[in-house]
Amino acid sequence: MNETIVSGMRPTGKLHLGHYLGVIKNWVQLQEKYNCYFFVADWHALTTKYDNTEELKQNTKDVVMDWLACGIDPEKSTIYVQSLVPEIAELNIYLGMITPQNWVERDPTLKDMAKILKTKEGQGTQVNYGLMGYPVLMSADIMMMNSKYVPVGIDQVAHIEITRDIARRFNNLYGEFFNEPEPILNECSLICGLDGNKMGKSFKNDIKISDTDIETSKKVMTAITDRSRLRKDDLGHPDECEVAFKYWKIFGSDDEVKTIRCECEKGLRGCAQCKRELGDKINLCLSEIREKRRYYEQHPEIVDEIIEKGSQKARIKAKEVLQNVRDLVKMY
Ligand code: TRP
Ligand code: SF4
């Protein structure tokens, strides 16, 4: 029997290359070896965006379409939406009862989120009860499938620690049942944004998986290069080319990277030409993924069916775990 893995993403809308290279590619490999559950954490989105739910459904679909396009295979992995598995909400209640207040108050990621909220204006600047419960709900997500491993980014590791603590506490109180899940660290995404900062939707420095070739090429032309280079026959310094050369190292072959380094250093390669070629290269690398995504965009009913079926499948496992929990807690 394969070990179980759970991971989720909040429905932030269309995903970018940072998500693909840093997270999804990793998931695609994991699904070959593990019993994988991947879900869209739409309740977690509500913890901060409860006052703006207009796009929640579409954002959820967009995330799933990106996963499918990148190679998450519904035959191998269970793809579902958190709120379509209401058993998670019931487990969340039991876990909330055994989680000391100071465990959630200590949570560093939550502290950061609270800080960001306070800088915003108008509604939604305060920390609500639901947001305080973020790590407990996340524990319910993970424990619902009695998962052994959780692939996450480094920023989520504190949450997994709380999950382990809650699982241990449950086992001590009611009897050994839950695994104490361990994080599998996603490889830090090697790709930075077009401006050299962390790639992110809100920084407007991202390339989306779903961008068209033309959009991508345009964006790549804005990538930062060697700032000391003014004319195209100035000698270049690829290692100081902050973004474009780094992208080449991700998308180009060893030979291509070697040639570009050589031509750049000798002043035989202009940055505009270099970035035009880079755009073409990225488009080529993404062509299969984008074609697949367009297919799902044109067949939204298939996406709906995958979500529906996956959520049903997740519920089967969830119901089984929940029955055990109810028995152990001695509920009616
Ligand atoms: N908090 C995670 C994030 O923002 C998303 C998430 C919710 C999650 N529940 C989870 C990740 C359970 C892994 C397991 O990225
Ligand atoms: Fe960077 Fe290419 Fe310009 Fe060299 S030629 S500085 S590698 S963009």
Side-chain angles (χ1 to χ4, degrees):
M1 254 264 301
N2 288 341
E3 319 242 48
T4 298
I5 279 192
V6 171
S7 197
M9 273 188 201
R10 276 174 291 166
T12 48
K14 294 179 172 135
L15 302 177
H16 54 61
L17 295 186
H19 294 116
Y20 173 53
L21 298 169
V23 184
I24 309 173
K25 242 179 135 176
N26 197 17
W27 289 6
V28 170
Q29 285 173 348
L30 289 169
Q31 71 181 346
E32 301 300 331
K33 280 190 259 148
Y34 295 93
N35 181 21
C36 290
Y37 290 88
F38 298 123
F39 71 98
V40 182
D42 54 349
W43 279 330
H44 276 107
L46 286 188
T47 62
T48 52
K49 298 242 170 81
Y50 55 86
D51 57 348
N52 180 11
T53 53
E54 224 45 65
E55 289 167 359
L56 190 57
K57 230 184 247 174
Q58 189 53 46
N59 287 346
T60 299
K61 264 192 210 180
D62 274 320
V63 167
V64 172
M65 282 195 280
D66 281 327
W67 290 354
L68 293 168
C70 292
I72 303 292
D73 179 350
E75 298 292 322
K76 294 179 185 156
S77 301
T78 308
I79 297 171
Y80 60 105
V81 171
Q82 185 184 36
S83 67
L84 292 178
V85 184
E87 287 74 16
I88 296 168
E90 186 176 337
L91 181 58
N92 183 51
I93 290 183
Y94 301 121
L95 301 185
M97 301 304 167
I98 64 169
T99 305
Q101 189 177 340
N102 64 1
W103 287 8
V104 293
E105 280 171 352
R106 270 203 308 256
D107 181 45
T109 312
L110 214 64
K111 280 187 188 165
D112 289 345
M113 286 172 93
K115 236 186 260 165
I116 294 168
L117 275 183
K118 289 207 180 87
T119 64
K120 296 200 171 140
E121 277 176 26
Q123 263 197 329
T125 60
Q126 75 206 349
V127 176
N128 289 328
Y129 175 65
L131 181 59
M132 286 309 294
Y134 194 108
V136 182
L137 181 57
M138 193 160 150
S139 301
D141 294 329
I142 297 164
M143 292 165 68
M144 193 80 264
M145 305 303 160
N146 206 356
S147 175
K148 186 114 190 240
Y149 299 106
V150 190
V152 284
I154 187 93
D155 59 318
Q156 299 292 317
V157 169
H159 287 146
I160 312 297
E161 276 311 313
I162 296 185
T163 305
R164 293 169 62 80
D165 291 340
I166 295 177
R168 193 174 312 129
R169 194 167 165 103
F170 184 99
N171 291 344
N172 287 337
L173 280 164
Y174 302 116
E176 241 0 89
F177 176 65
F178 283 113
N179 288 311
E180 285 177 30
E182 287 169 39
I184 299 179
L185 271 194
N186 288 331
E187 284 171 47
C188 269
S189 175
L190 12 117
I191 194 161
C192 59
L194 292 156
D195 57 2
N197 298 313
K198 187 178 169 191
M199 187 177 279
K201 176 186 180 184
S202 46
F203 311 130
K204 296 203 164 58
N205 64 358
D206 62 344
I207 299 173
K208 301 258 196 290
I209 293 166
S210 53
D211 279 345
T212 62
D213 287 2
I214 293 171
E215 284 166 327
T216 304
S217 295
K218 261 199 200 151
K219 285 183 179 179
V220 170
M221 293 311 286
T222 70
I224 307 267
T225 62
D226 173 1
R227 294 174 203 263
S228 70
R229 222 171 165 213
L230 300 175
R231 272 161 309 174
K232 71 173 192 209
D233 46 2
D234 285 345
L235 304 188
H237 310 88
D239 295 318
E240 277 148 54
C241 173
E242 267 179 63
V243 178
F245 191 64
K246 282 191 188 150
Y247 281 18
W248 268 118
K249 287 196 275 190
I250 296 170
F251 294 99
S253 67
D254 290 351
D255 280 348
E256 282 168 323
V257 173
K258 223 162 142 189
T259 309
I260 288 157
R261 173 185 288 285
C262 195
E263 290 178 1
C264 174
E265 284 172 343
K266 289 189 183 141
L268 300 172
R269 164 174 280 269
C271 291
Q273 176 207 347
C274 189
K275 291 196 278 188
R276 246 186 324 269
E277 288 174 19
L278 174 62
D280 291 344
K281 184 78 202 181
I282 294 174
N283 287 332
L284 187 67
C285 291
L286 294 177
S287 63
E288 224 174 285
I289 289 177
R290 285 176 169 164
E291 198 180 312
K292 229 168 144 189
R293 199 185 195 283
R294 279 193 295 275
Y295 171 80
Y296 287 113
E297 282 165 16
Q298 285 155 9
H299 299 88
E301 71 288 352
I302 297 181
V303 181
D304 284 333
E305 197 186 307
I306 288 170
I307 291 174
E308 193 55 48
K309 280 206 174 132
S311 301
Q312 274 172 22
K313 203 172 140 212
R315 283 191 81 177
I316 293 174
K317 174 73 182 170
K319 281 185 177 145
E320 191 189 301
V321 169
L322 192 57
Q323 191 54 56
N324 277 306
V325 168
R326 290 186 67 109
D327 291 345
L328 286 164
V329 181
K330 304 203 167 54
M331 300 309 292
Y332 194 81

